[in-house]
Amino acid sequence: MDALPPSSPGAVRTTCPYCGVGCGVLAAPDGRIAGDPDHPANRGRLCSKGTALGETLNLPGRLLHPEVMGKRASWDAALDTVAEGFRRAQAELGRDGLALYVSGQLLTEDYYVANKLAKGFLGTANIDSNSRLCMASAVAAHRRAFGEDVVTGVYEDLETADLVVLVGSNLAWCHPVLFQRIMAARALRPTMRLVIIDPRRTPSAESADLHLPIRPGSDVALYNALLAHLDERGLADNAYVEAHTEGLDAALAAARADAADAAGRTGLDPADLATFLRWFAETPRVVTLWSQGINQSETGTDGANAIINAHLLTGRIGRPGMGPLSITGQPNAMGGREVGALANMLAGHLDWSVAGEADLVRQHWNAPNLATGPGLKAVDLFRALGRGRIGALWIMATNPAVSLPEAGLVHEALSRAPFLVVSEVMRETDTAAYAHVRLPALGWAEKKGTVTNSERMISRQRSLLPPPGEARADWWIISQVAARLGWGSDFAWTGPAAIFREHAALTGRGNNGTRAFDISGLAGLTDEDYDALAPTRWPVPASASAKSRLFADGAFPMPSGRAKFVAVSHRQRPEGAGLLTLLTGRLRDQWHTMTRTGGVPRLMAHAPEPVLTVHPEDAGGLTDGSLVRVTGHAGAEAVLRLRYDPGQRRGSVFAPMHWTAQAAPRARINPAVPAATDPVSAQPALKSARVKLSAYDAAWHGFLIARRRLEPDVADWVAVSLAGDGVYRHELAGAEIPQEAFARLIVLLGHEEGEWARLEDPKAGLHRAVLLRDGRVDAALFIGPDHDLPSRDWLSATLGAGNVAPTVALLAGSPASGPAPSPTLCVCHGVAEGAVRHAIAGGACSVAMVGEATQAGTGCGSCRPEITALLARVAVELA
Ligand SMILES: Nc1nc2c(c(=O)[nH]1)N[C@H]1C(S)=C(S)[C@@H](COP(=O)(O)OP(=O)(O)OC[C@H]3O[C@@H](n4cnc5c(=O)[nH]c(N)nc54)[C@H](O)[C@@H]3O)O[C@H]1N2
Ligand SMILES: Nc1nc2c(c(=O)[nH]1)N[C@H]1C(S)=C(S)[C@@H](COP(=O)(O)OP(=O)(O)OC[C@H]3O[C@@H](n4cnc5c(=O)[nH]c(N)nc54)[C@H](O)[C@@H]3O)O[C@H]1N2
Ligand code: SF4
Ligand SMILES: [Mo]
């Protein structure tokens, strides 16, 4: 698809639905996409996922009609069923038997309405969000330090800083446009430094001036060492500390205790540690950006406060080019916090624990049954479901069967739910499989509303396509159920603009500058103003003028007006002999449970299989490329492809969170991850499971590339991915003897149809077959006794292009001549890793030269960190 020139007629100005960078997008109904040059978050840039948005517009598998018990139903019937289900559950179990589980991928307006229904009218605070798995520790840390959940900094600070520290963040893959902004700023100002604190040598680390491969879970010790070091060197900003903070003495005492053995606790090289301390000490303009490596930990809240402490001590907060910056994951993680859709918050940053605030909400909503205190948080909510304490659960825009820890128990709980409603854009997800009622929601290209990104920028999402089938906006669906429960007049909005006005007005209610979150200045927007709303950063109070940087004046929304140093101490994670720490996280081109990105072949090409990365010396003799059994929580296991990576910290392994029961039932990682949580934030420690590795002994390994998708139960181990338009790649392994597996699969593929070419050596366990039909390759099945099989890349490309090739080549899995196939590195220009290696071997010695030679890295730029890594690797190989 051609890119979209900004001036194109019909182009809609909207916002990307993936990560929390919140890039502005120009999108046309025909699928052309471009970065919005006028959006302050990205100024025209997009990453690989954003660039491919046009390819997600007409995804097959959309949920297009309401369904009750798996059968198509009218909206009336489905909504009546939902209302009745909630009424019945309340009669049986009371209000605490009702629950909603929502998502940072809802628009602010949808989110507001869901929260109003639950807390104000159903009268339960059992509404939690998948942000509990993501931002809860950051929220709790902000509230402990500042008195309110406020991100002080803005993206520009990352460009004007002299030192950028990324802690537990793989920004190059997870917030690629922000990473590109940092890289571009550093190219102009080479004195600017980048430090990465991550146990793994991530693609982000490839471009860093210093990488600290920290022992997982020891960030508190590192930041405590920093606090003590700053104090020792007399670098505290005493005037600032004196005037604007409290609690320093206790925090320092705790920090000094950790500092005594910082290198031991963090496992870092003492020289590297000293360099980091010195750089931080000597660089006033420093931004510390943190993400899930901090938040998703048993000590997540303490970790975030340890970071904030160092900034408070030096007064490096709320000023240009400096400050702590919690980057948000989902497109509207921030909006969810603003409307209070976490079980322990009220709307508009209001709080039960502050006298009078619940009343403000009650009055604003005219709420008959305002919940009287916090409700169940994600992990506990699903535990309660498993124990029969929840009679009706409504899940919106999240896929907890995949994304929650102890996912095996979550599946069980969902299967036993007395009444489960799922609002989704896709018909088949691991969670929707258990739904009694499925409600079709509008997707990104169809819905209208606002989202707030990591720098408090409120942006409009605007629809470019009409609703498909009978899909409806999430806010509409919720309001219709509310009406059926008797609250029609309280949920009678005519559109998202009206909801936004009500939400904005609440933020000004009783707010005399006591709450930073104030957008009451937007409460009077007309429908037209709302439609035209340009990206706007909060606060936007009705009375005072807006300020872009918060806390610049040192006044904090605490009763004392002061920010608080929180005393935190390193807590050693329990070690277990022979156990490895399982780090889980994200891949460059996939979005969570792959319901959308998994449907785009070029996004799938980057990592088509579930892979576990292991340091070669931790592999215990397991070979690169073999299948490995990862045994974790309560003996639950996942089976993944093992890859050696010397950049993986010894003692830890890494697995992606993305694989689902639909695509790779045995490769789902979360059943093996325990639901341990941070004691302050209740955020699950999704990066600290302890696991054992062992060989997965299969009698045969194989792959099938075909023009159809086989069920993921065709072999003991299966991973299915989209390899091209209508072409599926199946990675397979099983216990039968190879010959039997081969014969069985041939029958399944239709042995009597088309034209089969075969190559077999039963003694060696080798079986290959290619099916030709209608003059093109229809399927290629390769089976062998071990995992040593030809590359799938050329066959996938051949099927994808609808080509034929000589049978000999097809059965060999590679072309007779030309370069050997290799995985795609640059998805924009379809450049394979082999071509980049070739260019480097031929003398290209920079990312720019590789770009000139191959075009790789010249599109969205998301692959540039990997080209940097390859430049280093090939240089070593050549030497
Ligand atoms: N491509 C892509 N981008 C995404 C998403 C996606 O699904 N795909 N999801 C979005 C969402 S919702 C989120 S929350 C963000 C997440 O963005 P990130 O937090 O950047 O991503 P993760 O891969 O979850 O984890 C980041 C890093 O934490 C490291 N880590 C693990 N344990 C520790 C530790 O103890 N200390 C330190 N310092 N580091 C540790 C891991 O090795 C990993 O590299 O990404 C957003 N962007
Ligand atoms: N092991 C491990 N587990 C993790 C993490 C990790 O790092 N490691 N990270 C955690 C984090 S940070 C997060 S944020 C979660 C994410 O996990 P989830 O939220 O479960 O993952 P998604 O795939 O984003 O789920 C969103 C669902 O909403 C649907 N959807 C999309 N748009 C709409 C819409 O407009 N309306 C409705 N109703 N539905 C829509 C999509 O089809 C999809 O099924 O995973 C968490 N789980
Ligand atoms: S960085 Fe990529 S995924 Fe994130 S908002 Fe921008 S285009 Fe979307
Ligand atoms: Mo997230």
Side-chain angles (χ1 to χ4, degrees):
M1 188 70 63
D2 294 334
L4 183 74
S7 56
S8 286
V12 172
R13 219 172 262 276
T14 182
T15 312
C16 176
Y18 297 124
C19 86
V21 177
C23 295
V25 174
L26 295 171
D30 63 6
R32 280 172 309 147
I33 296 286
D36 180 352
D38 299 327
H39 197 288
N42 57 318
R43 298 257 175 250
R45 291 185 172 92
L46 290 178
C47 75
S48 50
K49 293 177 298 302
T51 312
L53 272 170
E55 285 134 87
T56 66
L57 294 187
N58 299 304
L59 281 185
R62 279 293 296 267
L63 177 62
L64 295 172
H65 309 283
E67 288 180 12
V68 177
M69 303 305 287
K71 296 215 173 63
R72 183 169 169 177
S74 68
W75 268 113
D76 268 336
L79 294 166
D80 286 346
T81 308
V82 176
E84 181 48 35
F86 272 74
R87 227 183 260 124
R88 197 175 46 239
Q90 173 159 2
E92 280 167 19
L93 295 164
R95 287 176 190 166
D96 293 340
L98 313 178
L100 272 66
Y101 185 59
V102 298
S103 159
Q105 291 166 74
L106 291 171
L107 300 176
T108 299
E109 294 74 5
D110 302 325
Y111 233 149
Y112 177 87
V113 175
N115 190 49
K116 179 173 175 177
L117 174 64
K119 294 204 183 106
F121 290 76
L122 292 173
T124 177
N126 291 343
I127 172 170
D128 212 32
S129 161
N130 63 357
S131 276
R132 181 70 57 195
L133 317 180
C134 182
M135 301 314 300
S137 296
V139 172
H142 289 150
R143 294 174 79 180
R144 289 204 301 192
F146 309 140
E148 187 176 345
D149 174 25
V150 173
V151 175
T152 62
V154 297
Y155 295 162
E156 212 175 69
D157 294 334
L158 291 162
E159 294 165 326
T160 53
D162 295 312
L163 172 64
V164 172
V165 186
L166 306 184
V167 196
S169 152
N170 184 8
L171 206 72
W173 277 10
C174 296
H175 302 91
V177 163
L178 215 45
F179 191 74
Q180 287 179 24
R181 282 180 63 167
I182 296 172
M183 291 296 111
R186 196 175 58 162
L188 292 176
R189 209 159 41 84
T191 52
M192 176 179 172
R193 286 185 176 128
L194 178 65
V195 175
I196 309 285
I197 303 172
D198 193 308
R200 306 187 296 142
R201 190 168 177 87
T202 58
S204 310
E206 295 295 343
S207 311
D209 298 286
L210 178 66
H211 169 221
L212 299 179
I214 194 167
R215 172 177 296 140
S218 66
D219 301 85
V220 169
L222 175 64
Y223 269 82
N224 266 347
L226 176 61
L227 196 75
H229 176 82
L230 294 168
D231 173 64
E232 243 165 60
R233 288 188 54 182
L235 292 169
D237 180 339
N238 291 323
Y240 184 89
V241 169
E242 194 78 1
H244 302 302
T245 69
E246 59 195 13
L248 176 60
D249 291 347
L252 257 183
R256 286 194 195 108
D258 277 351
D261 181 24
R265 291 189 160 109
T266 57
L268 291 172
D269 173 57
D272 286 348
L273 176 62
T275 304
F276 169 64
L277 299 184
R278 185 163 48 81
W279 284 0
F280 193 105
E282 293 170 1
T283 317
R285 289 164 92 90
V286 48
V287 175
T288 310
L289 176 151
W290 83 88
S291 188
Q292 302 311 336
I294 292 289
N295 292 346
Q296 286 172 344
S297 154
E298 313 88 318
T299 54
T301 311
D302 284 356
N305 280 115
I307 291 171
I308 294 170
N309 284 348
H311 281 270
L312 285 174
L313 185 73
T314 43
R316 295 173 188 167
I317 187 164
R319 294 155 62 192
M322 48 184 94
L325 200 156
S326 146
I327 189 88
T328 54
Q330 298 176 93
N332 202 27
M334 197 68 108
R337 289 142 72 175
E338 291 156 13
V339 303
L342 284 164
N344 54 324
M345 292 167 77
L346 281 166
H349 281 195
L350 293 160
D351 189 344
W352 281 286
S353 66
V354 179
E357 291 200 345
D359 281 333
L360 294 176
V361 181
R362 187 180 294 111
Q363 289 155 12
H364 195 71
W365 287 345
N366 197 14
N369 304 314
L370 191 76
T372 51
L376 292 170
K377 297 164 188 159
V379 166
D380 288 337
L381 196 159
F382 281 84
R383 285 193 176 141
L385 181 72
R387 295 194 188 114
R389 307 228 174 100
I390 301 291
L393 170 63
W394 189 351
I395 296 172
M396 300 174 201
T398 176
N399 195 358
V402 186
S403 54
L404 278 176
E406 293 182 13
L409 292 180
V410 174
H411 273 261
E412 262 172 55
L414 287 168
S415 73
R416 284 206 299 267
F419 185 64
L420 178 66
V421 183
V422 172
S423 297
E424 249 298 335
V425 296
M426 304 310 282
R427 185 169 184 282
E428 316 265 353
T429 71
D430 286 14
T431 302
Y434 297 104
H436 299 105
V437 182
R438 287 181 166 118
L439 301 173
L442 294 183
W444 168 72
E446 304 120 19
K447 58 188 188 177
K448 296 179 201 168
T450 56
V451 290
T452 309
N453 74 5
S454 302
E455 56 166 357
R456 291 177 276 115
M457 188 74 77
I458 299 171
S459 296
R460 280 294 320 268
Q461 277 198 13
R462 298 185 175 88
S463 61
L464 39 140
L465 294 174
E470 292 183 280
R472 294 285 179 274
D474 283 294
W475 70 263
W476 181 89
I477 303 173
I478 306 161
S479 309
Q480 290 298 309
V481 170
R484 280 164 172 77
L485 290 168
W487 304 305
S489 60
D490 303 285
F491 289 79
W493 303 284
T494 49
I499 302 168
F500 184 84
R501 285 189 287 268
E502 183 180 312
H503 158 59
L506 174 58
T507 67
R509 196 177 261 262
N511 189 351
N512 311 309
T514 40
R515 306 193 304 273
F517 178 51
D518 184 346
I519 55 166
S520 54
L522 302 174
L525 293 185
T526 63
D527 287 6
E528 292 72 33
D529 298 337
Y530 177 80
D531 279 342
L533 186 68
T536 305
R537 180 177 291 124
W538 66 256
V540 192
S543 46
S545 58
K547 38 190 172 177
S548 136
R549 215 172 293 281
L550 282 168
F551 307 153
D553 54 1
F556 292 88
M558 284 280 202
S560 63
R562 292 163 179 274
K564 186 162 173 60
F565 286 94
V566 182
V568 293
S569 295
H570 171 68
R571 276 182 275 147
Q572 182 72 38
R573 279 193 189 158
E575 302 279 330
L579 297 181
L580 298 163
T581 297
L582 172 67
L583 309 175
T584 57
R586 290 154 173 81
L587 300 177
R588 191 188 77 191
D589 293 349
Q590 287 307 326
W591 181 259
H592 299 154
T593 69
M594 306 200 289
T595 62
R596 290 167 289 165
T597 46
V600 180
R602 69 181 170 113
L603 293 182
M604 212 61 234
H606 184 243
E609 270 196 285
V611 161
L612 183 84
T613 351
V614 182
H615 191 284
E617 286 165 44
D618 279 336
L622 299 170
T623 50
D624 187 58
S626 65
L627 288 177
V628 58
R629 205 185 278 274
V630 184
T631 310
H633 170 72
E637 60 170 49
V639 177
L640 296 95
R641 182 82 61 203
L642 184 143
R643 281 276 168 253
Y644 286 173
D645 179 357
Q648 186 72 40
R649 188 181 201 282
R650 290 288 315 268
S652 70
V653 295
F654 180 83
M657 61 164 293
H658 305 298
W659 292 84
T660 66
Q662 305 205 340
R666 306 243 352 225
R668 297 185 307 122
I669 201 71
N670 276 5
V673 176
T677 55
D678 176 284
V680 185
S681 68
Q683 174 157 353
L686 289 160
K687 293 181 170 21
S688 57
R690 308 287 293 167
V691 296
K692 230 200 264 164
L693 306 188
S694 56
Y696 176 78
D697 291 316
W700 64 276
H701 293 254
F703 68 80
L704 163 72
I705 298 164
R707 281 185 198 289
R708 78 196 88 157
R709 188 183 201 279
L710 299 191
E711 290 302 315
D713 60 0
V714 291
D716 298 328
W717 187 83
V718 179
V720 194
S721 64
L722 193 61
D725 231 352
V727 175
Y728 294 88
R729 165 174 167 176
H730 308 72
E731 290 294 326
L732 309 165
E736 308 146 277
I737 57 170
Q739 193 165 11
E740 277 172 18
F742 184 68
R744 186 171 60 77
L745 289 165
I746 295 267
V747 170
L748 209 61
L749 288 163
H751 61 297
E752 285 164 346
E753 301 159 39
E755 211 182 300
W756 285 93
R758 299 184 189 209
L759 178 73
E760 293 192 71
D761 180 353
K763 272 213 193 90
L766 291 172
H767 303 268
R768 296 178 181 184
V770 174
L771 171 61
L772 300 167
R773 219 199 293 243
D774 307 327
R776 50 180 200 171
V777 189
D778 199 65
L781 175 64
F782 281 53
I783 281 181
D786 57 32
H787 62 268
D788 194 14
L789 293 158
S791 153
R792 290 69 160 158
D793 299 295
W794 179 73
L795 281 169
S796 299
T798 305
L799 265 82
N803 291 344
V804 274
T807 314
V808 189
L810 291 171
L811 287 171
S814 62
S817 59
S822 65
T824 309
L825 189 74
C826 166
V827 295
C828 291
H829 296 295
V831 185
E833 187 183 308
V836 174
R837 282 178 170 274
H838 185 73
I840 299 172
C845 56
S846 67
V847 176
M849 287 172 78
V850 168
E852 272 170 39
T854 65
Q855 277 195 296
T858 60
C860 75
S862 295
C863 64
R864 275 181 221 142
E866 283 149 280
I867 299 175
T868 308
L870 212 52
L871 279 161
R873 225 178 308 141
V874 177
V876 171
E877 286 167 16
L878 291 176

